[in-house]
Amino acid sequence: MAVTVSLVALFGLVLFFLLRSKSLGYGSAFIAAGFGFFLASTGASGPINQLATAVIDAMGNL
């Protein structure tokens, strides 16, 4: 759970800075957020969470 909240915060910050630097339009940000919302409700959410956890664990071992 802590990893998920951290990734949500990280992706939220990245989207914020992309919007602020005008590298990403509001429509694109809405589509990205919607895609993430709907992706979380599919069967792909389990493997994506496992991959994110594995990458975070690997970074800790560097």
Side-chain angles (χ1 to χ4, degrees):
M1 180 62 140
V3 170
T4 304
V5 173
S6 298
L7 287 176
V8 167
L10 175 69
F11 288 136
L13 282 173
V14 169
L15 277 174
F16 171 76
F17 285 116
L18 285 173
L19 283 169
R20 188 167 180 184
S21 69
K22 303 205 189 305
S23 298
L24 181 70
Y26 290 108
S28 299
F30 180 74
I31 296 298
F35 175 72
F37 177 76
F38 287 114
L39 185 64
S41 66
T42 66
S45 65
I48 290 171
N49 285 333
Q50 291 172 354
L51 175 66
T53 303
V55 168
I56 291 169
D57 289 340
M59 292 174 88
N61 293 329
L62 293 178

